[in-house]
Amino acid sequence: MIPRYSRPEMTAIWSAETRYSIWFEIEAHATDALADLGVVPKDAAAALWRWWDTKPAIDVPAIDAIEAVTKHDVIAFLTWVAEHVGDEARFMHQGMTSSDVLDTCLAVQMTRAADILLADLDALLAVLKRRAYEHKMTPTIGRSHGIHAEPVTFGLKLAEAYAEFSRNRDRLAFARADIATCAISGAVGTFANIEPAVEAHVAAKLGLSVEPVSTQVIPRDRHAMFFATLGVIASSIERLAVEVRHLQRTEVLEAEEYFSPGQKGSSAMPHKRNPVLTENLTGLARMVRGYVTPALENVALWHERDISHSSVERYIGPDATITLDFALARLTGVIDKLLVYPDRMQKNLDRMGGLVHSQRVLLALTQAGVSREDSYRLVQRNAMKVWESDGTLSLAELLKGDAEVTAALSPAEIDARFDLGYHLKHVDTIFERVFGAA
C-alpha cells in the first residue's frame, strides 16, 4: 500500500516485524502446550520465552537472506530463531505444518485489522449522528433520478447513512468473529502428529476459536466473507461520497467539503473549490471492492490445500484493510467539517414554483371525487407549464386558475396543499427508529 493512503496503526499490523512476532508467539505457545503434554522438554519452551523476553530485534533482512536459499519463508524464520535460541529450538514446530503458522497468523492480523475498522466505524457513526440531529429539521429537496421529487430534511439524509453504516458495523463484527479461527492441525488437518489440545491452547492464548475442521488450511469461505464485507462497507462510503459530490455541484451547492485556508482547487482556475476528498473516496472504494473477487476465487483450492491463495492474500490482506481504514477516517473528517447551506436548500426547494407539492394536490382531487386519471391529468398539465417556465410560474396559481381544478377544490384548499411542514411530520418517528428514543 502506498503511504499516501495509509495510517500507521493499520500499516503496522501488516509489517514483516509484526508478522514474525506473531509467528513466534504461535510457535512458542504451541511448544508450551507440547511441553505440558510431555511431548517436548519443558526447558525447550522456557528457552524460547527467555530469549523472547530479551525483546530481540527481528532481523528481517537476515530472515530474507535465509529464505533466498531455502525458498521457504517459515523454514527461514525457524532457522533464524534457532540461530539465537540454540539447541532447544529443535523442539519448535513439532507435528506442525507451515499453514498452521501462516493461517493462524493471518487470522490474528485480520482480527486486529477488524478491530481498527470497527473503531473507525464507531467514529463515523458518532459524527453522522451529531450532524443528523444538527440538521434534523433542515428542509431540503429529495431527488429521484437526479430530479426534484418531494421535500426531505438534510438530517434524514444523514440518518439514512447512519443506519447503513450501523448495518455495516454489524456485518463487520460478524465477519471478524467468523475469521478469528486458529488451525494447528498438522499436515492435511488430521492432527496425526499433534494433539488437538495444542490447537486449543494456542487459540486461547491468541484470542481465537479453534477451526472445527481444517484441510491443512483454514477454509477460505471465511476469508471471502471478510473481504466481501469490506467491499460492502466501501460501497457505502462511495454512496455517501457521491451524495456530497452532487450536493457540491455549482448549480446545487447545498453542501460542500470544508475548504481550508490556503487550499487551492485548480492550477489554472483560482475560483475552483472541488470535492477532491469525496472524489478520492470514490476511487478508494473501487480499490477495496476490487479485492473481493480474488478473495472469492481463493475459496476453491485443490484437495486439502494448494498455495494459489497465498500470493493473493499477501496483496489483499494489507491493501484492503489499509485502504478502508484510510477511507473511513477521511469520510469521518468530511462529514465532521461538512459545510451545509440551509438557505441554498430552501432556495432550491422554491426554485420550481411549487412542483414539489404536486402529489398532495393529486391526492386532494381524488379525495374530492375526481378520478385518479383525471386528477393526474389536471395536475400534470399545469405542472408542465411550470416546468417549461423553469419555475417562473407558480403551480398553486395555475391550479387556482384552472376551472376543472377549482370545480373540485377551493383556492384555500389548494393553498393548504403547499405546506412544507406537512412533508416533515414524521421526521421524529424516523429518527426514533434509527437512533432510538431520545
Side-chain angles (χ1 to χ4, degrees):
M1 193 61 228
I2 62 175
R4 185 182 184 91
Y5 304 125
S6 306
R7 301 205 304 161
E9 186 180 4
M10 182 67 85
T11 302
I13 289 173
W14 301 102
S15 71
E17 291 81 3
T18 298
R19 181 174 71 256
Y20 290 137
S21 293
I22 298 170
W23 286 11
F24 178 85
E25 291 178 31
I26 293 168
E27 294 283 3
H29 288 310
T31 307
D32 278 339
L34 289 165
D36 289 340
L37 292 171
V39 176
V40 304
K42 287 190 176 294
D43 286 348
L48 291 174
W49 289 115
R50 278 197 304 272
W51 172 69
W52 192 246
D53 286 343
T54 66
K55 297 182 172 49
I58 295 177
D59 192 341
V60 176
I63 299 171
D64 289 344
I66 299 171
E67 186 182 354
V69 176
T70 63
K71 305 296 191 292
H72 195 292
D73 53 358
V74 174
I75 292 175
F77 172 74
L78 294 172
T79 300
W80 177 78
V81 172
E83 290 175 353
H84 292 81
V85 173
D87 184 60
E88 291 92 341
R90 64 193 171 93
F91 294 106
M92 276 200 307
H93 209 68
Q94 292 280 309
M96 295 170 61
T97 188
S98 299
S99 292
D100 292 336
V101 180
L102 297 171
D103 280 12
T104 301
C105 175
L106 182 59
V108 172
Q109 289 174 301
M110 288 194 293
T111 54
R112 290 179 184 177
D115 287 339
I116 292 175
L117 294 173
L118 287 167
D120 291 341
L121 285 166
D122 287 339
L124 175 58
L125 288 167
V127 169
L128 284 168
K129 182 176 182 178
R130 175 173 60 80
R131 298 305 306 264
Y133 272 98
E134 179 184 346
H135 291 286
K136 179 180 179 181
M137 299 306 295
T138 301
T140 189
I141 186 62
R143 297 172 173 89
S144 56
H145 305 277
I147 308 300
H148 282 205
E150 292 191 351
V152 295
T153 74
F154 192 66
L156 281 176
K157 286 179 177 283
L158 296 176
E160 291 166 8
Y162 180 95
E164 183 171 351
F165 280 103
S166 292
R167 294 190 295 273
N168 282 327
R169 194 194 189 286
D170 291 341
R171 293 176 184 122
L172 182 57
F174 177 86
R176 182 207 183 280
D178 197 44
I179 206 67
T181 63
C182 168
I184 307 290
S185 53
V188 301
T190 60
F191 296 100
N193 293 296
I194 193 164
E195 289 297 313
V198 176
E199 180 183 70
H201 177 81
V202 175
K205 289 295 185 180
L206 296 176
L208 304 174
S209 59
V210 298
E211 180 60 48
V213 53
S214 55
T215 63
Q216 189 160 329
V217 295
I218 292 174
R220 257 47 194 181
D221 63 290
R222 296 184 183 275
H223 303 69
M225 177 66 181
F226 182 82
F227 288 104
T229 300
L230 302 191
V232 172
I233 296 172
S235 292
S236 296
I237 290 172
E238 184 178 16
R239 178 175 182 259
L240 186 50
V242 167
E243 179 71 16
V244 173
R245 290 168 59 193
H246 280 308
L247 295 178
Q248 188 164 337
R249 290 182 0 251
T250 307
E251 60 271 27
V252 179
L253 202 56
E254 294 177 356
E256 67 172 335
E257 297 175 9
Y258 176 72
F259 198 79
S260 60
Q263 184 174 342
K264 304 294 188 290
S266 166
S267 64
M269 297 168 283
H271 71 278
K272 295 297 292 296
R273 287 164 67 122
N274 302 326
V276 292
L277 299 179
T278 45
E279 288 176 342
N280 170 251
L281 287 171
T282 292
L284 295 178
R286 292 170 183 166
M287 294 303 299
V288 175
R289 285 196 301 271
Y291 301 126
V292 176
T293 296
L296 293 170
E297 292 175 344
N298 275 354
V299 174
L301 303 179
W302 284 19
H303 305 299
E304 278 60 54
R305 80 168 289 216
D306 63 47
I307 63 164
S308 61
H309 63 287
S310 176
S311 57
V312 174
E313 288 165 358
R314 290 173 194 262
Y315 278 103
I316 69 175
D319 283 10
T321 55
I322 290 171
T323 304
L324 189 61
D325 169 52
F326 181 89
L328 285 167
R330 171 153 285 182
L331 181 60
T332 299
V334 167
I335 300 303
D336 182 43
K337 294 184 175 182
L338 189 70
L339 303 175
V340 181
Y341 302 121
D343 290 345
R344 184 59 179 256
M345 291 177 179
Q346 187 64 54
K347 182 178 179 180
N348 286 340
L349 270 168
D350 298 337
R351 183 182 177 279
M352 292 303 289
L355 289 184
V356 298
H357 302 288
S358 68
Q359 182 181 190
R360 289 210 65 206
V361 182
L362 165 67
L363 297 177
L365 285 168
T366 62
Q367 291 162 3
V370 182
S371 72
R372 182 173 180 85
E373 291 73 17
D374 284 342
S375 297
Y376 198 103
R377 175 179 57 82
L378 294 174
V379 176
Q380 187 184 44
R381 77 182 180 190
N382 288 286
M384 291 304 99
K385 295 176 184 177
V386 177
W387 183 280
E388 290 160 6
S389 77
D390 197 25
T392 59
L393 295 177
S394 163
L395 179 60
E397 294 307 311
L398 288 176
L399 291 168
K400 285 186 281 187
D402 187 318
E404 285 189 81
V405 174
T406 55
L409 298 175
S410 69
E413 288 173 323
I414 293 172
D415 285 336
R417 270 61 187 183
F418 286 75
D419 173 25
L420 178 62
Y422 178 88
H423 294 273
L424 312 182
K425 62 181 182 294
H426 292 305
V427 171
D428 284 336
T429 300
I430 299 171
F431 263 63
E432 186 170 333
R433 287 180 173 181
V434 174
F435 300 109

